Amino acid sequence: MGGEADHTRLDLEVIRGMGTGLSTIKKAFDGLEKLGDKYEDDFGDGDLAEKFGDFASNWEISREKLTGEVDALAQIAKAAAKAYEDIDHQLAEAIRGAQDPKKGRK
C-alpha cells in the first residue's frame, strides 16, 4: 500500500502550464471579432438575417461568460502552482534547518 506521499505528489509544471494554456485561450477569445459585425450584411434582410443576428448575439454573451470562466481557471491554476511551490520551498528549508543543528543555535 502506498504512503501519504502518493497522495500529495503534484506536477507543478503541468499546473503552471495549464494556467498558461488557459490564458492563451482567453486571449484568443478576446481577439475574436463579433460575428454580427463581420457577416451581418452578407445575410441581407429577412428571417435568415434575423436568425443569424440572434445566434451572433447569443454567441457573444456565451463567449464573454466562457472567457471570464477560462480566465478565472487560469488565475486559479497559476496561483495554485505558486502556492505549492512556496510550500515546497518552506518545507525544504524547515527540513534543512532540522537537519543542521548549527542553524538552530544562535
Side-chain angles (χ1 to χ4, degrees), residues 51-65:
K51 296 291 182 196
F52 181 77
D54 290 345
F55 169 79
S57 177
N58 288 336
W59 166 243
E60 188 66 26
I61 292 166
S62 297
R63 191 184 83 195
E64 286 175 12
K65 286 181 183 177

Side-chain angles (χ1 to χ4, degrees), residues 93-106:
E93 286 297 316
I95 290 170
R96 280 192 283 275
Q99 290 174 342
D100 186 359
K102 294 177 189 175
K103 270 193 164 183
R105 292 187 249 145
K106 286 195 175 183

